[in-house]
Amino acid sequence: MASDKVLSMDEIAKHNTKEDCWVVLYGKAYDLTKFAKVHPGGAKLITDAAGMDATAIFDPIHPKDIMDKLLKPSLTMGVVDASTIKPEHVAKPPEAHKPKPKKKAVKADAAEEEVEEFKKPPLAAMLNSFDFESVAREVMEPQAWGYYSSGGDDEITLRDNHLAFQRITMRPRILVNVREIDMTTKILGVPASLPLYFTATALAKLAHQEGELAIVKAAKKAGVPYMLPTLSSYTLDEMLAARTPDQVVFSQLYVNPERSRSEEYVAKLEAAGVQALFVTVDAPQLGRREKDMRNKFTQQGSDVQGDDEDEGAVDRSQGATRAISSYIDPGLNWEDVPWLKSITKMKVLLKGVQCAEDAVMAFKSGLAGCVLSNHGGRQLDTCRPGIEVLPEVMEAVKAEGATKDNFAVFIDGGVRRGGDVFKAVALGAQAVGVGRP
C-alpha cells in the first residue's frame, strides 16, 4: 500500500506545484492537489506548502488525524523518513498567521508612542458571558474571531437566538422558601450540577492552545457533561485521555459519506464509554458565513485572482461549503436512522431539529431524543430559535406518548444567562447546550 511506503523529503519536494501538490503533515505525505481547491482557507495556503512539511502551520488549528477524516486512503502517499527533513523543507506560516505587532497610537500633545497590548481582565471581573465575548474579540486573531462569531447570511437567526429568550417573560410566585436550592439533575442519566451541558463546537485551538482538552477538564470541574466534537482541534484519543476516570462524556457526529469510517468512529466512542451520540442533521453542507468567508479571502494575499487558482476552477462564493461536503454526507435521510441505531448501543439523538413534525418522526423512529437547534444561527438564516420551537415540540411529542424518560428534548443557541436556562427547563427541555456564546 502507498501509505506504508517510506519516502524521503527530497522525493516529496519534487511534487511542489499546484498541479502536483504533496504536503507532509504529522510524518505522512498526502497528495492535496484536489483538496487544495476546496480548502476553506483557500488553495494558496496549501499550494504555498507544496513539497514541504506543513505540520507547524497546521498543528495550532487541526488535530493530528485531520487528513484521515478528510481524504480517501489512496491519497496518503507514504510515511516520511524523519532523518531526511531539513530546515529548508519546513513551510513557514503566512503573514496572516504571524503574531500581531504591538499597536501604536498618536497622542495630540505628544509624539507617537507605543500603547500596551490589550490585557485580559481578572477572571473575577467577568460577570457574564457577554464580558467573555468582549475580551475574545480583542485577544483572538481576526480569522479565528471571524470563524467563531459568524452566522449565516444576514445573521438574523444568530441575533434572534438570544433575543427570543428576552421575549419570554417571567411570572414570579412569592413567599416560597428558597433558603436551600438544589439545581442538580440528570442529563440522559448522567449526573449534572445544573441542567446544562457543553455542546460540540469545532476547532477550539483557534481560541487557546489547550483547546478541547481544557474544555474536557472544565466540564469535569463544573460538573456538567461535554459533547465531544467531530471537527475538533485535538484527536479523539487526546480528548478521551483528558478525562478523569469517572468522567462521562457525550459525542457529536457528522456522518461521513464513507459509512465505514463513521462506523469505526462510533465503535471507538462506545468502547471508550461515551454515553450518547448526537448526530448533527442541520448541516449537510456549511451555511454562507460571510464574515468568515471575507477573512479567508484576506489570508490569501492580494493576488487572489492570479496565482491562487485557475480562473473558473473553483466557486469561491461557497467558502467552506465545498470542503466540509467532502466528509459530511449530504444524502443522510430518515431511511438511514435504522442504520445509525444498528451500529451502536449508545443512546442516539438528532441534533438540529427545528419543527414539531421532525421531533415526532425522531420519537417514532425509536431515537432517544433530539436537540432543537439551528446550529447557532450559522446555517439557514431566518430559522426560528430553538426556545421558540420548544413549546410546539413538547406538545406534539407528548401527544404521541413521549415522556422525559423515553424521549429527551434539549435546546441550544442563544443561551447567555441563568434565566435562559430556567426558561428552557420551564418550557419542557431536559437541559440546554452552551457552545461559544
Side-chain angles (χ1 to χ4, degrees):
M1 293 177 61
S3 59
D4 297 328
K5 186 178 180 181
V6 178
L7 302 168
S8 71
M9 278 304 301
D10 287 338
E11 186 175 355
I12 294 164
K14 297 175 183 176
H15 304 272
N16 61 357
T17 68
K18 63 183 180 181
E19 293 81 15
D20 180 20
C21 177
W22 288 18
V23 176
V24 175
L25 296 171
Y26 308 106
K28 291 183 180 180
Y30 299 93
D31 183 349
L32 302 186
T33 308
K34 292 184 178 179
F35 175 74
K37 295 178 180 178
V38 295
H39 180 240
K44 189 168 170 51
L45 290 176
I46 299 291
T47 57
D48 279 356
M52 305 180 77
D53 186 338
T55 305
I57 299 175
F58 272 64
D59 187 66
I61 301 173
H62 301 292
K64 293 181 177 66
D65 60 352
I66 183 67
M67 288 300 132
D68 295 330
K69 294 178 181 178
L70 298 179
L71 300 181
K72 294 179 180 178
S74 60
L75 295 178
T76 303
M77 309 315 295
V79 178
V80 182
D81 181 352
S83 66
T84 66
I85 303 176
K86 301 174 184 176
E88 59 265 28
H89 293 141
V90 179
K92 303 295 189 295
E95 290 295 325
H97 292 272
K98 291 182 179 178
K100 299 179 193 175
K102 288 186 177 181
K103 297 178 181 178
K104 300 275 187 177
V106 178
K107 289 186 176 180
D109 58 348
E112 183 180 285
E113 63 179 42
E114 194 173 87
V115 175
E116 289 187 5
E117 292 183 68
F118 179 86
K119 292 182 179 179
K120 293 182 184 178
L123 193 60
M126 312 293 279
L127 303 182
N128 55 55
S129 62
F130 300 102
D131 289 346
F132 284 97
E133 183 176 357
S134 298
V135 173
R137 185 184 292 110
E138 296 296 327
V139 300
M140 290 182 69
E141 291 296 325
Q143 301 92 325
W145 172 254
Y147 175 69
Y148 273 16
S149 65
S150 61
D153 293 333
D154 297 309
E155 299 189 341
I156 294 168
T157 298
L158 176 69
R159 294 188 294 272
D160 202 42
N161 275 346
H162 180 59
L163 293 175
F165 282 98
Q166 299 178 14
R167 292 193 290 268
I168 299 170
T169 55
M170 299 285 196
R171 186 172 177 267
R173 298 296 302 274
I174 61 171
L175 293 177
V176 176
N177 185 347
V178 292
R179 180 176 288 113
E180 295 182 7
I181 297 295
D182 182 7
M183 293 189 293
T184 60
T185 186
K186 287 190 176 181
I187 301 175
L188 295 175
V190 178
S193 60
L194 74 165
L196 178 149
Y197 61 92
F198 294 165
T199 193
T201 55
L203 302 178
K205 268 191 183 181
L206 287 175
H208 192 278
Q209 185 60 29
E210 291 186 30
E212 292 85 5
L213 305 187
I215 303 176
V216 172
K217 296 171 185 177
K220 173 61 179 177
K221 187 175 181 180
V224 299
Y226 175 33
M227 185 193 302
L228 304 177
T230 303
L231 305 181
S232 54
S233 291
Y234 280 95
T235 66
L236 176 59
D237 287 338
E238 289 170 327
M239 292 188 291
L240 293 171
R243 296 176 300 172
T244 61
D246 62 339
Q247 185 174 358
V248 178
V249 296
F250 304 144
S251 183
Q252 174 263 344
L253 178 71
Y254 283 116
V255 175
N256 196 296
E258 293 188 25
R259 298 295 171 84
S260 61
R261 289 196 174 186
S262 290
E263 291 176 2
E264 291 170 5
Y265 188 78
V266 170
K268 198 170 184 179
L269 293 171
E270 187 172 303
V274 176
Q275 293 291 299
L277 186 68
F278 289 74
V279 182
T280 296
V281 292
D282 59 3
Q285 59 181 5
L286 276 189
R288 281 181 56 87
R289 304 166 191 177
E290 295 177 3
K291 187 192 306 178
D292 184 33
M293 290 161 65
R294 292 184 206 285
N295 274 321
K296 283 162 182 169
F297 273 114
T298 64
Q299 287 185 38
Q300 299 175 63
S302 59
D303 192 20
V304 292
Q305 299 299 330
D307 294 337
D308 188 21
E309 54 217 1
D310 296 334
E311 185 177 355
V314 177
D315 180 1
R316 296 298 299 159
S317 70
Q318 293 300 302
T321 298
R322 289 168 57 96
I324 200 168
S325 295
S326 67
Y327 59 95
I328 297 177
D329 189 356
L332 188 70
N333 61 76
W334 286 107
E335 294 179 0
D336 295 309
V337 170
W339 165 74
L340 283 167
K341 292 171 59 184
S342 73
I343 63 174
T344 182
K345 295 179 181 178
M346 290 184 288
K347 296 175 181 177
V348 180
L349 301 88
L350 301 185
K351 181 179 182 296
V353 171
Q354 297 174 67
C355 66
E357 294 88 342
D358 283 342
V360 168
M361 288 184 70
F363 173 64
K364 289 184 175 179
S365 298
L367 294 168
C370 65
V371 183
L372 308 182
S373 171
N374 53 42
H375 215 96
R378 293 160 70 80
Q379 284 299 109
L380 187 61
D381 202 15
T382 69
C383 287
R384 290 181 299 163
I387 189 67
E388 288 193 350
V389 180
L390 181 59
E392 72 175 54
V393 165
M394 297 309 302
E395 181 180 359
V397 296
K398 284 180 180 177
E400 297 293 337
T403 66
K404 287 190 174 182
D405 294 326
N406 63 16
F407 192 76
V409 177
F410 305 97
I411 72 160
D412 67 31
V415 178
R416 296 292 183 272
R417 294 186 178 275
D420 300 339
V421 182
F422 172 82
K423 291 173 182 178
V425 173
L427 291 173
Q430 189 174 113
V432 305
V434 175
R436 41 174 174 248

